Amino acid sequence: MPVDAQKLKDNFALVGANGVDVAEYFYADLFAREPQLRRMFPTGMTRQYEVLLGALTQVVSSVDDHDTLIPYLEDLGRRHHGFGVLREHYGPVGVSLLATLAYFSGPEWNDDLERDWTAAYGLVTEVMAGAAAELVS
Ligand code: HEM
């Protein structure tokens, strides 16, 4: 079944209404599960909270517009190569992202949303990590 873009947008609008708490929760969850990733990020995370939320908003708003989404993710993926991000890092980040979305969705969370977010994040990973891989091949 194709990803239901409108459901993702509606769900992200619900989750995003919690503002910076969403990014705080996400990084707390990520660093609790994967403490070794903490050192990749700056000590002060305030700016990172904002850029993550901005990037997620951008991704979700163009999830059904691949002509916009793919070049954006390719650029983001190439920059992440410069931050030392490897393909294997995308899995743990996806786990924390899904956990964060589920937490802030509360009773609205369901199997369909989980499936659609997993598929969308799979695409993000493929495009970002794929563009990074082309830099080293
Ligand atoms: C949905 C996937 C992701 C999104 C939307 C995202 C978004 C962003 C954005 C917008 C920035 C700011 C810099 C820039 O725009 O180039 C950034 C920086 C960064 N991201 Fe990601 N990212 C993602 C996945 C990952 C993954 C898998 C890792 C691996 C741990 C990661 C680690 C980092 C690091 C280390 C920085 C640089 C922090 C700094 O030194 O300022 N990101 N990310």
Side-chain angles (χ1 to χ4, degrees), residues 22-123:
V22 176
E24 249 181 75
Y25 185 98
F26 164 78
Y27 285 109
D29 185 272
L30 181 65
F31 298 149
R33 290 178 205 257
E34 308 285 340
Q36 77 283 4
L37 296 184
R38 178 64 185 92
R39 73 177 70 95
M40 295 178 78
F41 291 88
T43 313
M45 289 291 286
T46 313
R47 202 188 117 66
Q48 189 65 26
Y49 293 160
E50 283 163 20
V51 293
L52 177 80
L53 288 172
L56 289 176
T57 302
Q58 171 71 37
V59 169
V60 173
S61 71
S62 55
V63 72
D64 47 1
D65 173 10
H66 283 196
D67 289 351
T68 304
L69 180 64
I70 304 295
Y72 175 79
L73 289 175
E74 286 172 341
D75 281 347
L76 192 60
R78 284 189 282 264
R79 293 201 297 276
H80 278 68
H81 176 74
F83 303 141
V85 174
L86 305 172
R87 179 177 271 271
E88 70 208 44
H89 293 132
Y90 284 89
V93 165
V95 169
S96 290
L97 181 63
L98 266 284
T100 303
L101 293 163
Y103 176 81
F104 286 100
S105 298
E108 297 290 316
W109 191 247
N110 58 43
D111 289 350
D112 280 1
L113 277 171
E114 177 159 354
R115 193 205 60 210
D116 282 0
W117 275 114
T118 301
Y121 186 75
L123 174 70

